[in-house]
Amino acid sequence: MSPLGRARWSSGRRLSWRWWLRRLPAVGVTGVVVALLLGAGLASAAWLSSGGGSATARGGQALPPTTTTVAGSAITSGLLYPGSTGDVKITVNNPNTYPVTLTSVTPNGAPTATGGTGTCSTTGVTLTGGSSGTTIPANGSATLTLKDGASMSSASDTGCQNATFTIPVTVAITSV
């Protein structure tokens, strides 16, 4: 007699081989499904991996801004005379491929004079500097006015009357 023929209910009744054959497909299908799920889990886990290495990127170089005077005159209002101040108008050019913010304008050397009524070797002109926070577009420019940005002391030569003053400046920018 086969081992299947010896199985008994707990009540002592013998289980027939037909009873096992009727249940074998359900057990077999369940086993196949479990095996497939386990196999699929192992197959997808076999494709997971990690590792290390390095990546590179390259930074650009910021180009320095340039300045130009506006309409041939640095002073736009409030003509200078000893003891006075006047507005300074300046155009800042941004040669970079990204927008920048102008953070400061500071003096960078002695002002010079042209077109005065005589000798103007001592101009007595100073730039008080300033900041604007003006955004300058990529590859663009912005013209700004520094309110009371220039002053003239009483040390100015008499020949500086009616002169145009060129004031060297340094402009500082930061990327937006």
Side-chain angles (χ1 to χ4, degrees):
M1 194 180 267
S2 72
L4 295 177
R6 284 188 240 155
R8 297 186 181 269
W9 290 96
S10 58
S11 65
R13 189 170 158 226
R14 248 178 79 190
L15 298 176
S16 73
W17 60 274
R18 287 185 195 141
W19 182 86
W20 283 104
L21 285 178
R22 278 184 278 156
R23 277 141 190 85
L24 190 59
V27 171
V29 169
T30 304
V32 169
V33 169
V34 169
L36 286 174
L37 290 175
L38 288 175
L42 293 175
S44 68
W47 288 101
L48 300 176
S49 181
S50 65
S54 61
T56 60
R58 186 170 174 210
Q61 181 177 352
L63 301 172
T66 59
T67 61
T68 53
T69 56
V70 178
S73 175
I75 308 300
T76 60
S77 68
L79 295 175
L80 290 176
Y81 56 87
S84 72
T85 62
D87 295 345
V88 174
K89 196 167 193 178
I90 187 170
T91 298
V92 180
N93 307 301
N94 176 17
N96 294 294
T97 58
Y98 52 89
V100 296
T101 300
L102 179 65
T103 58
S104 68
V105 178
T106 55
N108 184 21
T112 58
T114 56
T117 59
T119 303
C120 185
S121 52
T122 303
T123 65
V125 174
T126 58
L127 178 74
T128 57
S131 63
S132 77
T134 301
T135 298
I136 305 168
N139 297 310
S141 62
T143 300
L144 59 129
T145 301
L146 300 176
K147 181 81 174 136
D148 294 326
S151 63
M152 180 181 269
S153 74
S154 58
S156 159
D157 291 339
T158 302
C160 293
Q161 296 176 58
N162 208 28
T164 299
F165 302 98
T166 302
I167 307 167
V169 296
T170 297
V171 292
I173 58 171
T174 185
S175 60
V176 175

